[in-house]
Amino acid sequence: MEHLTSAPGLAEHMSAGSEPLSIGELARRLGVTAATLRNWEAMGVLTPAREPVTGHRSFDATDVRDAELTHLLRRGGYPLEHIRTVVRQIRTAGGTEALSAALDDWRRRLTARGVSMLGAAAQLGGYVAHLGVPAGPPATTEPAPAPGPPPTV
């Protein structure tokens, strides 16, 4: 998300009134093939408009942003099914800024939960130590017995 919200990309270079890109122009700018963009469209990741007479694809600034994100995530090894979900969430959220804020909030809540769990574990460890229960598995000098047959039910 940081890459898309802070770094200048193709979408930022396209103003609201600029001409949409063709599939070939977008493919060249991203360094992918037109067939790759068609595949992303077939998977539901990209949804470019079509010219009414010719049927050619037309990529506006939002489509370019979605293609940039898809390209970035594909290079990171993410499957198209997951990328499709992320792109839809960005469209629903109204852009990368809203989704980035939601992810930051989620990260903060997850961190707070993890810190709380660590605190609880420390308190539990103190309580167990107070009871005199030895920490960890008992030390033995004998080899562990060979595993027997699985239990029968």
Side-chain angles (χ1 to χ4, degrees), residues 10-11 14 20-21 26 30 37 40 45-50 57-70 87 91:
L10 290 176
M14 294 183 68
L21 299 177
L26 180 57
L30 289 175
L37 294 175
W40 294 351
V45 177
L46 300 180
T47 56
R50 295 287 188 137
R57 292 163 182 84
S58 175
F59 295 88
D60 64 14
T62 301
D63 298 319
V64 172
R65 179 206 61 209
D66 295 347
E68 286 179 322
L69 176 60
T70 302
V87 169
R91 288 182 198 144

Side-chain angles (χ1 to χ4, degrees), residues 12-76:
E12 285 188 14
H13 295 296
M14 294 183 68
S15 64
S18 67
E19 290 291 317
L21 299 177
S22 70
I23 193 168
E25 292 168 329
L26 180 57
R28 277 189 296 283
R29 289 190 184 190
L30 289 175
V32 299
T33 65
T36 296
L37 294 175
R38 286 187 205 98
N39 183 44
W40 294 351
E41 180 185 10
M43 292 294 296
V45 177
L46 300 180
T47 56
R50 295 287 188 137
E51 296 294 328
V53 176
T54 64
H56 292 154
R57 292 163 182 84
S58 175
F59 295 88
D60 64 14
T62 301
D63 298 319
V64 172
R65 179 206 61 209
D66 295 347
E68 286 179 322
L69 176 60
T70 302
H71 186 237
L72 179 71
L73 293 174
R74 286 298 290 158
R75 288 186 357 214

Side-chain angles (χ1 to χ4, degrees), residues 91-108:
R91 288 182 198 144
T92 302
T96 56
E97 294 82 13
L99 184 58
S100 183
L103 289 173
D104 287 341
D105 180 57
W106 177 75
R107 188 180 305 121
R108 279 190 293 278

